[in-house]
Amino acid sequence: MKTAFVTVGTTSFDELVAAVTAPGGALQVLQDLGYSRVVLQIGRGTVAPDLVSTPAFTQEVYRYKNSLVKDIQEADLVISHAGAGSCLEVLEAGKPLLVVVNDKLMNNHQLELARQLHRDGHLFYCTCRTLIQTLQSVDWSTLKPFPPGQPEKFAAFLDKVAGI
């Protein structure tokens, strides 16, 4: 069963949840791409999609878990907000990652992080407005594995991005 995991982290990112679950939205594209299971971690958002269970498709929804490790490990694709912790966890797990940048945030360090990790070949990124087109056009096979065990380099990069 091909699984996509969508995570917004501990905050709310209703625009991403809506972009995935709206009729004719990214959910349909994922199904067209062969995904039969989508797991949505929706945080504290107000958009709370219904659970769906049919013989051909399952949509699971939850707000929080103590750990996302199992969901990440079970996923064939992770669609995530651009939080540094989430990005690092998914990249270290070796999963294909599509980061959706929240372009409504001020002083958007998330965009800088996503841009750099994309330049390095580790992920693809988009906004909610370009999610469908990005899902339809990316070639996941071009992604490079994230080098393991270098948290100090990642921390230094984050400090640079944040201007610390």
Side-chain angles (χ1 to χ4, degrees), residues 32-69:
D32 293 345
L33 293 170
Y35 291 87
S36 56
R37 179 175 175 244
V38 174
V39 179
L40 294 138
Q41 183 269 319
I42 62 170
R44 64 173 191 223
T46 59
V47 176
D50 293 329
L51 302 176
V52 176
S53 183
T54 69
F57 180 76
T58 302
Q59 176 176 284
E60 301 168 24
V61 180
Y62 66 88
R63 291 197 180 276
Y64 301 105
K65 285 184 181 175
N66 289 335
S67 172
L68 302 181
V69 170

Side-chain angles (χ1 to χ4, degrees), residues 3-17:
T3 299
F5 175 52
V6 181
T7 177
V8 303
T10 57
T11 62
S12 64
F13 193 0
D14 285 340
E15 190 179 6
L16 173 56
V17 176

Side-chain angles (χ1 to χ4, degrees), residues 105-121:
L105 295 177
M106 301 296 287
N107 301 318
N108 200 343
H109 302 304
Q110 290 188 358
L111 177 58
E112 295 173 51
L113 174 64
R115 239 186 226 142
Q116 185 59 51
L117 290 169
H118 174 70
R119 275 189 214 115
D120 294 343

Side-chain angles (χ1 to χ4, degrees), residues 97 146 162:
L97 175 60
F146 188 73

Side-chain angles (χ1 to χ4, degrees), residues 18-28 132:
V20 171
T21 60
L27 201 60
Q28 185 59 55
I132 291 173

Side-chain angles (χ1 to χ4, degrees), residues 115-161:
R115 239 186 226 142
Q116 185 59 51
L117 290 169
H118 174 70
R119 275 189 214 115
D120 294 343
H122 301 303
L123 57 77
F124 291 102
Y125 74 97
C126 63
T127 63
C128 290
R129 287 186 311 279
T130 60
L131 176 61
I132 291 173
Q133 298 91 326
T134 304
L135 283 169
Q136 292 171 327
S137 64
V138 297
D139 179 357
W140 302 108
S141 70
T142 63
L143 291 178
K144 299 175 188 170
F146 188 73
Q150 298 182 331
E152 64 284 345
K153 285 187 179 181
F154 192 73
F157 170 73
L158 287 179
D159 288 347
K160 181 180 151 200
V161 167

